[in-house]
Amino acid sequence: MDRNIFVLGIDEFNLQQLRAIRNADNYQFHSLLSFDEVKAHGTYPFQSILDHARDRLEGFAGRIDAIVGYWDFPVTSIVPVLCRELGLPSPSVESVACCEHKYWSRLEQQRLLPDMVPGFASVDPFDADAAAKVELDFPFWLKPVKGTDSLLGFRIHDRAELDDALSKIREGIVHIAEAFDTFLAHVQLPKAMAETSGRYCIAEKLIKGRQCTVSGYVYRGKARVYGIIDSINYPNGMSFQRYQYPSRLPKAVKARLKEASITLMEGIGYDQAAFNIEYFYDEGADTISLLEVNPRISQSHGHLYEQVDGRPNHQIMVELALGEEPCVPRRQGPFGCAAEFHLRKFEDATVEQVPSDAQLREIKRDNPGTFIDIAVEPGMQLSDMMEQDSYSYDIAHIFTAAHDQHELLEKYDRIVEALPLKLGDVQAAGS
């Protein structure tokens, strides 16, 4: 009998990944709200999304075997709430909230991995004396305790930048803060978190080095790491350029990353789900610093794992949600390495032309192992795009694979050169 798996925030790209997992013929994937319904409007109506999801589940005549999601908030937070209500395998809402709330997460990281946590402090941006109360020395990062895609994250070098960032945060934080507070109402919060609402921010000392993401899962209380992916920035040091798998970090460093990840996830009581943790490795000091914890698979890594290991990591997510121990393939794919590149523009512009579906198919045909997702449309002004970092505009995602890194980078350059993507300046668009 087919097993019914409901996907919160389903989209076509990830549905293709789900259909590529082991035993996919035995699963029926159902839409539990589309991507547009949960993420595409730049707002986060947590309660409305939760109520609509409940209605669709209640209206389903068959057996519900699992609920999964691979997007950031609010998807990551709604899934465990629904699973708790239906008695389905899932991490506790408290362990998910601990990962999602940057300040709470730092407190637990400091308890379990004190040598890997940078200096940090909570900041109330609505406090008239907020800037004066930040005791960290410049420079530091300032970001909401709940954010997505680096939204409202600022690198602060002096008091003027701090005042400006606080002003922008006060103006833009409310829509996600209200939604996050609605989620936190479902959580038994520790006393240390009682006053730190979704409207708070966290200030964190800068960390440096080679960035990477550790992918793992916890099954019946035991954590396991199944992959490490390098995260590489553009030369500005703040805008993300690509994920690359497998990681090129030294073997001994990978062993330390695995041990730290297991200690943390078992220590916070996270269970029956996948996770990914972002770190920095400073080669000169031989130190590891933890950036953040995400209580989900990284859906953008699925294509990488499929090309190198033979199956997308969506398989791990599904099998855990069904209460099963995951089957993790290794090095069974057609390529030796793979990457997801973020093609960015660093100045505002107007989109004049994007590739047609036929042109994208031709590029993919000429470059096996490639998938291209264009994030812009003709007539769009880049500054109107939602959920961008504070320094650039993410206009396309290019997934590709090769036998080694040299071939991979050459292949990416050929793909970008072949893309008929044309941008014009803003003044020209208005003339």
Side-chain angles (χ1 to χ4, degrees):
M1 183 180 295
D2 286 348
R3 306 178 82 175
N4 296 305
I5 300 167
F6 282 81
V7 184
L8 183 59
I10 199 166
D11 66 308
E12 186 58 34
F13 173 70
N14 282 287
L15 182 57
Q16 293 178 26
Q17 302 284 292
L18 287 165
R19 288 171 175 162
I21 71 175
R22 186 178 75 121
N23 296 328
D25 290 343
N26 298 327
Y27 304 144
Q28 288 289 332
F29 296 107
H30 303 272
S31 173
L32 183 57
L33 307 185
S34 68
F35 173 82
D36 286 347
E37 289 175 298
V38 299
K39 288 288 285 184
H41 302 295
T43 58
Y44 306 88
F46 184 95
Q47 192 61 49
S48 175
I49 295 171
L50 178 60
D51 290 341
H52 287 157
R54 284 170 172 158
D55 289 344
R56 294 196 183 182
L57 292 170
E58 290 174 1
F60 183 66
R63 185 185 65 251
I64 299 169
D65 295 293
I67 301 172
V68 299
Y70 37 73
W71 298 111
D72 199 351
F73 185 83
V75 172
T76 41
S77 300
I78 289 176
V79 167
V81 172
L82 293 172
C83 287
R84 181 175 66 180
E85 293 174 355
L86 296 177
L88 297 171
S90 170
S92 68
V93 291
E94 284 73 24
S95 64
V96 170
C98 178
C99 297
E100 297 267 48
H101 194 300
K102 293 183 186 296
Y103 183 67
W104 186 0
S105 186
R106 283 301 194 198
L107 292 176
E108 287 298 289
Q109 294 164 29
Q110 190 174 62
R111 177 176 69 87
L112 295 163
L113 301 169
D115 294 337
M116 295 187 180
V117 181
F120 66 96
S122 64
V123 178
D124 179 1
F126 294 93
D127 184 340
D129 297 323
K133 291 180 179 178
V134 178
E135 297 182 353
L136 297 180
D137 293 333
F138 298 113
F140 56 80
W141 280 100
L142 182 68
K143 58 190 78 171
V145 293
K146 179 65 245 170
T148 61
D149 296 320
S150 301
L151 184 68
L152 295 177
F154 298 92
R155 188 169 178 167
I156 308 298
H157 297 89
D158 53 38
R159 176 61 184 265
E161 289 187 357
L162 177 56
D163 289 337
D164 182 60
L166 287 168
S167 176
K168 291 176 179 176
I169 288 170
R170 286 192 294 270
E171 182 179 344
I173 198 175
V174 174
H175 72 287
I176 192 168
E178 289 181 347
F180 193 49
D181 283 339
T182 303
F183 166 59
L184 293 178
H186 294 266
V187 179
Q188 291 187 352
L189 293 169
K191 291 182 179 179
M193 299 305 303
E195 301 300 325
T196 313
S197 73
R199 286 176 168 78
Y200 268 65
C201 292
I202 184 170
E204 299 179 328
K205 291 296 295 179
L206 303 187
I207 53 180
K208 63 179 182 177
R210 296 168 60 179
Q211 188 174 355
C212 66
T213 302
V214 173
S215 302
Y217 66 86
V218 188
Y219 175 71
R220 294 186 177 179
K222 297 295 182 181
R224 178 184 173 186
V225 168
Y226 62 84
I228 301 176
I229 289 178
D230 288 332
S231 302
I232 300 168
N233 281 352
Y234 279 91
N236 73 356
M238 292 174 282
S239 296
F240 179 71
Q241 193 224 27
R242 75 182 187 270
Y243 294 115
Q244 184 172 314
Y245 179 64
S247 170
R248 292 162 61 87
L249 287 168
K251 184 176 181 180
V253 175
K254 293 180 182 178
R256 289 159 61 189
L257 290 166
K258 291 179 181 178
E259 181 181 1
S261 301
I262 290 169
T263 297
L264 178 62
M265 301 313 288
E266 291 183 357
I268 66 171
Y270 187 84
D271 203 1
Q272 292 305 127
F275 63 84
N276 71 84
I277 307 177
E278 298 175 51
Y279 295 91
F280 282 84
Y281 172 61
D282 185 335
E283 293 179 274
D286 191 31
T287 56
I288 294 172
S289 299
L290 197 159
L291 178 62
E292 67 179 21
V293 185
N294 299 301
R296 55 176 171 79
I297 64 165
S298 176
Q299 55 85 25
S300 58
H301 293 172
H303 188 268
L304 281 62
Y305 283 114
E306 182 178 14
Q307 298 303 314
V308 177
D309 289 338
R311 298 284 186 182
N313 56 345
H314 297 60
Q315 176 172 306
I316 294 169
M317 173 187 70
V318 168
E319 291 176 345
L320 285 164
L322 291 169
E324 301 170 355
E325 184 171 8
C327 175
V328 183
R330 186 168 178 81
R331 306 299 188 264
Q332 298 176 22
F335 294 98
C337 66
E340 179 205 359
F341 294 85
H342 287 225
L343 182 61
R344 293 183 183 271
K345 179 76 173 177
F346 292 88
E347 296 177 351
D348 197 8
T350 299
V351 181
E352 296 181 353
Q353 177 182 316
V354 300
S356 67
D357 290 343
Q359 289 169 324
L360 290 176
R361 285 194 297 269
E362 182 178 355
I363 294 171
K364 288 187 281 186
R365 185 187 66 235
D366 294 341
N367 297 275
T370 296
F371 178 86
I372 302 170
D373 177 29
I374 304 296
V376 294
E377 299 176 353
M380 176 185 290
Q381 188 167 318
L382 298 186
S383 56
D384 291 334
M385 297 177 71
M386 295 181 296
E387 294 190 355
Q388 301 298 299
D389 71 26
S390 301
Y391 306 95
S392 67
Y393 305 99
D394 194 3
I395 62 176
H397 298 170
I398 300 172
F399 301 80
T400 194
H403 296 296
D404 56 36
Q405 177 176 276
H406 178 75
E407 181 183 318
L408 180 75
L409 297 178
E410 286 189 339
K411 191 173 182 179
Y412 171 69
D413 288 340
R414 289 198 308 270
I415 292 168
V416 172
E417 187 175 353
L419 275 178
L421 184 60
K422 186 177 180 181
L423 302 176
D425 59 45
V426 177
Q427 290 76 14
S431 61

